[in-house]
Amino acid sequence: MSRARQTVTLTADLVILTIRDGVLSVLLVERENEPFQGRLALPGGFLRGDESLERTAARELAEETGLDAGALRLRQVGVYSAPDRDPRRPRVVTCAYLAIAPDLPVPVAGSDARAARWVPVAEAATAGLAFDHDLILADAVELARTLLQFSTIATAFCGPEFTIGDLREVYEAVWGVGLDKPNFHRKVTDADGFVVPTGGKRPSPSGRPAALYRAGGATELVPPMTRPRLGT
Amino acid sequence: MSRARQTVTLTADLVILTIRDGVLSVLLVERENEPFQGRLALPGGFLRGDESLERTAARELAEETGLDAGALRLRQVGVYSAPDRDPRRPRVVTCAYLAIAPDLPVPVAGSDARAARWVPVAEAATAGLAFDHDLILADAVELARTLLQFSTIATAFCGPEFTIGDLREVYEAVWGVGLDKPNFHRKVTDADGFVVPTGGKRPSPSGRPAALYRAGGATELVPPMTRPRLGT
DNA sequence: CAAATAGTGTCTTTAAGACACTATGAT
DNA sequence: ATCATAGTGTCTTAAAGACACTATTTG
C-alpha cells in the first residue's frame, strides 16, 4: 500500500513582530529571485538534515535578527499546505512560527545578505506579500493578539526594563485600541508574577517619572487582560 | 544555494474525540505492521497528489468514521517534526487535526479494514500509543478544553437535539470537573446564539422532562464559559 | 505657579458562584 | 404522597470600566 506516498519540501517561515514608534511591525525581506522578485516576504528557510522545524525556525531567527532563539520563544502559527502555494513547483509546505522581539536597533543584515527591514503590519497587509504570506501574517497577528490576553508575553515586546506605560503601549499597538491608564496600571501590577518593580525610575521630559519594572516569572496571565469588544 | 534542501514525507493524523457514557474518548486504530505492531495509534494517512493537508485529514476522517468532513470542522493541532519520530526512517513529519464528533453508534470499520475503536482518553494516555501520539493526543485534548471555553464547539459533541444537561455533561467530561447545574443552565441559555430551543422535550426515566435545544448560529462564545481553576 | 505624565481611590455595572427554592414528570 | 431531575430566584463576591482625584517631575 504505497499508493501516492508523496514527498514534499518543507520550510519554516518566521513572523517576527516588534513595536517601532508605537506601531506594530513585522520583519520582512525583499525577494531577490523569481517568483515574486522584489516583493516583500516573511523570512524563512528550508528544513535541513537532522533538524526539527522548530530548529529550522530558530536558526533562521538567529540569522535574520541575531537574536538567540533560546531567549525568544517561538510559537507555532500553523501549517500552510495548499498544493499551488509555490508557483515554481507543487508541494512546498511551510510551517509558520511567531516570534516577539523588543525594539531592536535595526534588523541585523541577514548573514545571507538579504535586505531585511521592519514594516508596519498595516502597511504589509495592504502591500501584498509574496506567496500566501499575507494569510500567514494575518494568522500570526491574530495569534499574538490572543496571546496578549492570556499570557504575559507582552513583556517580550519590551526591553529588560520598562514602565507600565510602555507595556500599555504594547497592548494598544497590538490591539489597535486605547486603554484606560489607571485601570491598566492597577491590573498589571496586581496580576501575580506579571511585572516586578526594579526600584528604578525613568525620568520623563515633562511629568512625573515612571517606575521601572521587569518581567515577572508567570507565563499565564490571571485574570486575563480583557480585550475591548468591538461589536458590542 | 540548494544546500540540504531535503524532501520529507507528510502525514495527517486525526484526533477524533467524542463522549461515550460520559467519558471523553478518542478513536484509535490498532497497528497491523511494524513498527509498533499491535499498539494503538491515531488514525492518519499520507498526503496524496494534489491535496492540502486539510483535505488529507478530511479524507481520513470520512474513511475512519463515515463522517462528512464538511459537517465536522477540523482544527489544526500542530506539526510534529522531530527527526526520529518514525523509527523506520527519518523525516516523516505529521500535522495533527482535531475533530469533535457526536456519540456515534460504533466506529465504522475503516474502509481499509483496520480495527478502529473508541478508547477513553485517560486510558489511552496511560496505555502508551505508537510514535509520538501520546504527545499529540495530549495537545489535542488541551486544545479541545480551551475551545470549550471560548467557542460553541461543545454542541458538536451532541446530536442534532440535546438537553442542557447533555451539554453540561460534555463540559464535565472534557474538563474533568463538576459544574453547578443551575448556573450552567442560565449561562448557556443566556449566551447569544449558543443554543436555541426546539420546543420539544425529552422524557426522563424518573424526573421532570428536559427541554430540547439545537446548536445556535454563534461560533464564538461570549461571555466565555469559565473553567474552574485548580490551584486557586 | 502651570503643564504634563504617573499613579490611587472609589463608585457603578457586570458576571461568577453558592445555594435555597419551585416545577414537572414517574412510581 | 415520594423521588428524581429540570429549571428559577436571589444573594455574595470579584472583576471590569468610568473617571475624579492626588503625586511628582520640568520649566
Side-chain angles (χ1 to χ4, degrees):
Chain A
M1 195 298 260
S2 71
R3 167 168 69 166
R5 179 181 296 178
Q6 199 176 15
T7 63
V8 307
T9 308
L10 266 189
T11 62
D13 285 326
L14 278 169
V15 180
I16 309 168
L17 297 179
T18 199
I19 298 193
R20 312 247 312 158
D21 307 318
V23 175
L24 182 66
S25 304
V26 59
L27 189 71
L28 297 176
V29 297
E30 200 168 313
R31 285 188 56 82
E32 292 183 323
N33 307 316
E34 289 294 342
F36 301 106
Q37 187 174 14
R39 291 277 280 282
L40 291 171
L42 296 170
F46 290 98
L47 179 76
R48 284 191 196 157
D50 219 31
E51 288 177 334
S52 65
L53 278 162
E54 289 81 0
R55 260 195 90 69
T56 305
R59 178 171 51 73
E60 289 294 327
L61 179 66
E63 288 176 8
E64 297 292 340
T65 66
L67 284 168
D68 182 17
L72 240 47
R73 172 136 175 234
L74 291 171
R75 285 159 206 271
Q76 211 177 93
V77 176
V79 178
Y80 298 83
S81 62
D84 57 348
R85 59 178 294 281
D86 188 326
R88 278 170 295 189
R89 57 180 171 182
R91 315 282 52 167
V92 179
V93 171
T94 198
C95 184
Y97 288 85
L98 171 66
I100 287 175
D103 189 355
L104 303 172
V106 70
V108 181
S111 60
D112 46 0
R114 285 182 290 181
R117 64 175 199 264
W118 294 111
V119 178
V121 164
E123 201 174 296
T126 59
L129 304 182
F131 306 104
D132 51 2
H133 290 187
D134 282 318
L135 173 61
I136 295 175
L137 175 60
D139 288 350
V141 168
E142 191 49 45
L143 175 60
R145 289 203 236 261
T146 302
L147 286 171
L148 249 59
Q149 281 188 78
F150 302 105
S151 83
T152 59
I153 203 178
T155 56
F157 278 109
C158 302
E161 282 196 334
F162 52 86
T163 68
I164 303 297
D166 294 341
L167 196 61
R168 185 171 42 75
E169 283 168 13
V170 168
Y171 277 90
E172 292 179 335
V174 177
W175 285 352
V177 297
L179 298 175
D180 183 272
K181 298 184 197 189
N183 290 336
F184 183 89
H185 189 284
R186 205 187 343 258
K187 180 136 194 194
V188 163
T189 50
D190 285 359
D192 218 59
F194 191 6
V195 297
V196 295
T198 64
K201 289 196 185 304
R202 175 193 297 168
S204 87
S206 108
R208 174 175 170 177
L212 287 169
Y213 295 81
R214 58 177 176 77
T219 54
E220 202 186 355
L221 185 54
V222 285
M225 289 297 287
T226 44
R227 185 171 163 193
R229 299 198 54 73
L230 303 170
T232 334
Chain B
M1 192 297 265
S2 72
R3 168 168 71 166
R5 178 180 298 177
Q6 199 176 13
T7 63
V8 307
T9 308
L10 266 189
T11 62
D13 285 325
L14 277 169
V15 180
I16 308 168
L17 297 179
T18 197
I19 297 190
R20 311 250 311 161
D21 307 319
V23 175
L24 181 66
S25 304
V26 58
L27 189 71
L28 297 176
V29 298
E30 199 168 317
R31 284 188 56 80
E32 292 182 323
N33 308 315
E34 289 294 341
F36 302 105
Q37 186 174 16
R39 291 276 281 282
L40 291 171
L42 296 170
F46 290 97
L47 178 76
R48 284 192 197 156
D50 220 32
E51 289 176 335
S52 66
L53 278 163
E54 289 80 3
R55 260 196 89 71
T56 306
R59 177 171 51 74
E60 288 293 327
L61 180 67
E63 289 176 6
E64 296 292 341
T65 67
L67 284 168
D68 182 17
L72 239 46
R73 172 138 175 232
L74 291 172
R75 285 158 206 270
Q76 212 178 91
V77 176
V79 178
Y80 298 82
S81 62
D84 56 349
R85 59 178 294 281
D86 188 326
R88 277 169 296 189
R89 58 180 171 183
R91 316 282 50 171
V92 179
V93 171
T94 198
C95 184
Y97 288 85
L98 171 67
I100 287 175
D103 191 355
L104 302 172
V106 72
V108 181
S111 60
D112 46 2
R114 285 182 290 182
R117 63 175 200 264
W118 295 110
V119 178
V121 164
E123 199 176 298
T126 59
L129 304 182
F131 305 105
D132 51 2
H133 290 186
D134 282 318
L135 173 61
I136 295 175
L137 176 59
D139 288 350
V141 168
E142 191 48 45
L143 175 60
R145 290 203 235 259
T146 302
L147 287 170
L148 249 59
Q149 280 188 78
F150 301 105
S151 83
T152 58
I153 203 179
T155 56
F157 278 109
C158 302
E161 282 196 334
F162 51 87
T163 68
I164 303 298
D166 294 340
L167 196 60
R168 186 171 41 75
E169 284 168 13
V170 168
Y171 278 89
E172 293 180 333
V174 176
W175 285 351
V177 298
L179 298 175
D180 183 272
K181 299 184 197 188
N183 291 336
F184 183 89
H185 189 284
R186 201 185 348 254
K187 181 137 195 193
V188 163
T189 49
D190 284 359
D192 219 58
F194 192 6
V195 297
V196 295
T198 64
K201 290 197 185 302
R202 175 194 298 168
S204 86
S206 106
R208 175 175 169 178
L212 287 170
Y213 294 81
R214 58 176 176 77
T219 54
E220 201 186 355
L221 185 54
V222 284
M225 289 298 286
T226 45
R227 185 170 161 194
R229 300 198 52 74
L230 303 170
T232 335

